[in-house]
Amino acid sequence: MTTDVRPAHDVAAETVPVAPSERPENPRWARPAFLGMLLVIAAAYFWNLSASGYANSFYSAAAQAGSESWKAFFFGSSDAANAITVDKPPAALWPMGLSVRLFGLNSWAILAPQVLMAVATAGVLYGAVRRRFGAVAGLIAMVVLATTPVAALMFRFNNPDALLALLMTVTVHCVLRAMEHGRTKWLVWAGVAVGLAFLTKTLQAFLVLPPLAVLYAVFAPVRVRKRFGQLALSAVAMIVAGGWWVAIVELWPASSRPYIGGSQNNSFLELTFGYNGLGRINGDETGSVGGGGGGMGGGTGQWGETGLTRMFNSEIGSQISWLIPAALILFVAGVILTWKARRTDLERAAFLAWGGCLLMTGLVFSFMAGIFHQYYTVALAPYLAAVIGMGAVALWERRTRVAWSVTLGAAVVASAVWAYVLLGRTSDYLPWLRWAVLIGGLAAGLGLALAGRLNRRLALGAAGLGLVASLAAPTAYTVSTLNTGHTGSIVTAGPSGASMMGGPGGGGGKGGFPGGGMPGQKGQKGNTGQGGQTGQGGNMPQPPTGGGNAKGGFPGGGMPGQNQKAGSKAGSRPGGKAGAGGGMGGLLNGAQVSSKAKKLLQQDAGDYTWVAATVGSQNQASYQLATGEPVMAIGGFNGTDPSPTLAQFKQYVEDGKIHYFIGTGSSKIAKWVAANFTKVTVGSSTFYDLTQPK
């Protein structure tokens, strides 16, 4: 890695910079170390994998449906009979669906593809960082990624975020490869990766476009006209890669495809720009279980505090923020030390690419007023890891200059101090660790600040101590994450109580949900705790109907922070509009299906298109996964989608396509069913036999 500062020169006289495929000084141990690290990550992430069961049953049921029906596979349907899709495009479901088709329906078949995505992400990250900063930087980046608690959570969970993180890492890598020689093919591949990421989680894929597009437009080693032509071709590739599926879905007759879950008018475009798009930014999400608040000025919203400190608060800090202070220091240092380099300098381009994506994504997450969950922050993990790896090595190689050695020491001290603060939020968790990290970090920071004056052995000792002090706390939280099963829709990493989610305002405290659980939940068995009562068909306590408070009350009986309007839409109050089949439990964590209920549903299952229908996708998923038979999710995930209408449901019943309706409620469908069909009680669950009118 060159350390000289090259003078700027006339653009017309530029030549293509030399960018070898690998640094000449890469040692022999680099490749074995890289492969060994991949094996360690794979072994750690595969270990105890089945503890999470089906993880998020919402997506597991869709994978099961896709394994039985290619039509369901293509559309991302919740059931093999294609009543309704999940509220995302289907790219993340395709690997799971293929895995289940090959290996059968089980926890490993569902979750193993996510672990393989972790290995792939680490490999791509290493390759991208190593090309400009060497093997040590690449290995540091891999370690940081693997020991980020939210990464250990989501690369072992079946939400779309794992695939999204992989594709975003590939995108940055391809752009940096294009920056080396100005080759169009790499920019086109970057566009393809973004297009596939769009088919994974819609508009979140576009968060990296502004920093990467500006980077290439300003610093690429080709003439200005060619740069913009290449960017245009990349945009075309992105549209083709992400738009082919959208075009087919929009042109396909609605009468012969599943309803687009999450939309209010059966349109994927409406879903993209509404519920999954701008609604996430401004909080105006029609059909959501709750909007946001705070706006761009910051404040308190329905999904937690917004503002510059959001990534560091009690809900999110322990998931991702351990090394953010160090990353910001190293990013600024990297930009400064390459500031006067030639326009096409690749080290500066790398800092701007990874750091720009980190800042852009982090700022959007910090101020978005709509639905926001802690696990979204896994998108930051690859960018954070790259900046740490690059910055640490770049400053280490310049440690003979006091300014850079002090900056490197300051980054380690910042990590140690912030880890001390974060560990203090769970004071009963390894209480000795916070002091060990603080003392070790302070000592390492001092040693690194003086590294230029120490002999090599002492300097290396300080560097090693700094690495250990910086990674010890997040590694401990990662180990706790690997040791714990995670199920449901809202999951968090770390030990119990590490990420507290309070009521409105999101401040945490006694109303928090440690480990992704909900009030009264005990692990995966779904037992209710104090003050909770199991909802119809669910394994979670019904929300109280009184006003919210700091100890866990939910205003209006809705979700944490849910307003009255959204609460009535989601039907999360007992007896609410969509409350047929689970209330709070059915919305977030599905239902407990007894052996008697399973036997009842499987009887004569082949005579029906759907063995049952129930409100909400989590309830539907529980019964479908238990029986292996299609179950209709009325209203989609939140129970708010207008699918099916009462008239459509009546027609399904008249045609003999649905055997049972599960649950009770005050919706039109639930009222009609209760008034006209025979009730069958199985354990604590209520079934209506739609073939037996009163």
Side-chain angles (χ1 to χ4, degrees):
M1 179 172 58
T2 54
T3 58
D4 59 308
V5 177
R6 294 162 291 218
H9 58 286
D10 183 67
V11 173
E14 286 182 358
T15 58
V16 175
V18 176
S21 60
E22 61 180 10
R23 291 162 53 111
E25 65 269 27
N26 276 339
R28 292 181 178 179
W29 54 259
R31 185 177 296 274
F34 164 65
L35 296 176
M37 185 60 65
L38 289 181
L39 289 175
V40 169
I41 294 173
Y45 279 28
F46 270 120
W47 184 80
N48 200 35
L49 186 62
S50 60
S52 294
Y54 289 131
N56 191 339
S57 58
F58 176 55
Y59 294 116
S60 293
Q64 181 265 342
S67 72
E68 296 187 354
S69 164
W70 287 114
K71 185 175 181 180
F73 178 89
F74 177 79
F75 285 107
S77 300
S78 292
D79 63 276
N82 293 287
I84 193 170
T85 71
V86 300
D87 57 2
K88 300 287 188 300
L93 297 174
W94 290 339
M96 289 187 287
L98 291 175
S99 179
V100 173
R101 188 175 285 267
L102 289 172
F103 304 110
L105 180 63
N106 58 76
S107 180
W108 271 68
I110 292 288
L111 300 179
Q114 322 306 314
V115 177
L116 296 179
M117 291 173 197
V119 176
T121 303
V124 174
L125 183 65
Y126 171 84
V129 172
R130 179 194 59 82
R131 289 183 69 83
R132 298 312 308 162
F133 294 87
V136 172
L139 292 171
I140 291 174
M142 292 177 74
V143 173
V144 171
L145 174 69
T147 57
T148 300
V150 72
L153 172 70
M154 296 313 296
F155 281 115
R156 290 158 46 88
F157 202 76
N158 59 332
N159 280 21
D161 301 78
L163 180 58
L164 180 71
L166 169 59
L167 290 169
M168 293 294 90
T169 305
V170 170
T171 299
V172 179
H173 176 53
C174 289
V175 170
L176 290 175
R177 289 297 301 269
M179 292 291 297
E180 292 179 0
H181 300 294
R183 291 178 178 172
T184 304
K185 70 173 185 178
W186 285 107
L187 212 57
V188 169
W189 280 119
V192 170
V194 174
L196 294 176
F198 174 82
L199 290 183
T200 301
K201 211 174 178 187
T202 59
L203 297 186
Q204 186 177 333
F206 294 168
L207 294 183
V208 301
L209 293 183
L212 295 181
V214 170
L215 173 70
Y216 197 84
V218 175
F219 297 109
V222 292
R223 294 180 180 275
V224 174
R225 181 178 296 179
K226 186 174 182 179
R227 289 178 227 161
F228 285 95
Q230 291 173 319
L231 288 171
L233 288 175
S234 181
V236 170
M238 178 186 70
I239 293 171
V240 171
W244 65 272
W245 183 87
V246 178
I248 292 174
V249 171
E250 290 297 306
L251 294 174
W252 197 296
S255 59
S256 65
R257 63 160 170 78
Y259 185 92
I260 303 301
S263 73
Q264 297 301 300
N265 58 12
N266 200 12
S267 168
F268 181 77
L269 292 178
E270 186 262 333
L271 171 67
T272 299
F273 293 102
Y275 177 73
N276 277 341
L278 298 179
R280 299 292 173 116
I281 302 298
N282 59 27
D284 184 15
E285 297 166 299
T286 303
S288 168
V289 294
M296 292 303 291
T300 296
Q302 304 292 354
W303 294 92
E305 296 177 0
T306 60
L308 287 175
T309 61
R310 189 182 206 178
M311 296 298 103
F312 303 91
N313 67 21
S314 59
E315 296 177 26
I316 299 168
S318 64
Q319 307 297 293
I320 188 66
S321 73
W322 302 91
L323 296 179
I324 287 181
L328 294 176
I329 293 172
L330 295 175
F331 170 63
V332 172
V335 172
I336 292 175
L337 66 85
T338 58
W339 186 256
K340 294 183 180 180
R342 63 189 301 174
R343 184 181 63 83
T344 56
D345 183 77
L346 296 176
E347 290 184 8
R348 179 175 57 200
F351 276 112
L352 292 176
W354 294 107
C357 291
L358 175 65
L359 291 177
M360 185 71 185
T361 306
L363 287 173
V364 171
F365 284 173
S366 295
F367 289 100
M368 60 186 286
I371 294 175
F372 182 81
H373 298 306
Q374 295 98 317
Y375 62 79
Y376 290 0
T377 57
V378 70
L380 300 173
Y383 315 142
L384 178 70
V387 171
I388 293 292
M390 296 185 307
V393 168
L395 296 189
W396 171 258
E397 293 186 347
R398 295 165 172 83
R399 64 188 180 279
T400 55
R401 297 181 59 180
V402 174
W404 300 130
S405 64
V406 170
T407 301
L408 183 57
V412 171
V413 170
S415 294
V417 171
W418 182 237
Y420 177 84
V421 173
L422 289 176
L423 288 170
R425 294 176 179 174
T426 50
S427 56
D428 57 340
Y429 175 76
L430 300 179
W432 57 268
L433 182 60
R434 63 194 302 240
W435 290 104
V437 166
L438 180 63
I439 296 171
L442 293 175
L446 178 61
L448 288 171
L450 301 174
R453 302 182 179 183
L454 300 176
N455 62 50
R456 182 173 179 80
R457 179 175 296 179
L458 289 176
L460 286 173
L465 179 60
L467 189 63
V468 171
S470 298
L471 295 177
T475 298
Y477 269 51
T478 294
V479 172
S480 293
T481 303
L482 298 178
N483 282 330
T484 307
H486 297 83
T487 60
S489 298
I490 302 177
V491 291
T492 56
S496 178
S499 183
M500 303 302 292
M501 185 181 185
K510 294 183 179 180
F513 311 149
M518 302 292 296
Q521 184 180 7
K522 293 182 180 179
Q524 299 178 59
K525 294 183 179 181
N527 299 325
T528 56
Q530 295 180 356
Q533 120 182 40
T534 303
Q536 174 61 49
N539 65 339
M540 307 289 291
Q542 289 280 12
T545 56
N549 57 62
K551 293 185 179 181
F554 306 147
M559 287 188 64
Q562 183 179 8
N563 57 32
Q564 293 281 354
K565 182 178 179 181
S568 63
K569 283 185 177 182
S572 46
R573 291 173 297 183
K577 180 176 180 181
M584 192 67 167
L587 178 64
L588 294 176
N589 265 13
Q592 290 293 306
V593 181
S594 67
S595 58
K596 291 182 179 180
K598 178 180 176 180
K599 183 178 180 180
L600 180 69
L601 292 177
Q602 289 179 327
Q603 184 176 356
D604 300 324
D607 296 338
Y608 303 92
T609 304
W610 295 277
V611 296
T614 187
V615 174
S617 293
Q618 287 287 8
N619 280 330
Q620 169 264 339
S622 299
Y623 287 101
Q624 182 170 299
L625 291 169
T627 63
E629 303 292 342
V631 176
M632 177 185 290
I634 297 175
F637 183 84
N638 297 321
T640 60
D641 300 345
S643 174
T645 64
L646 177 58
Q648 290 171 329
F649 189 81
K650 287 181 177 180
Q651 189 62 52
Y652 289 141
V653 174
E654 182 180 341
D655 294 341
K657 292 185 175 181
I658 309 174
H659 196 175
Y660 291 100
F661 178 86
I662 306 173
T664 59
S666 60
S667 69
K668 292 180 179 179
I669 290 177
K671 284 182 177 180
W672 177 76
V673 168
N676 291 280
F677 295 93
T678 303
K679 180 175 16 177
V680 179
T681 301
V682 181
S684 62
S685 299
T686 300
F687 289 67
Y688 289 90
D689 190 339
L690 302 181
T691 66
Q692 298 294 325
K694 288 184 178 180

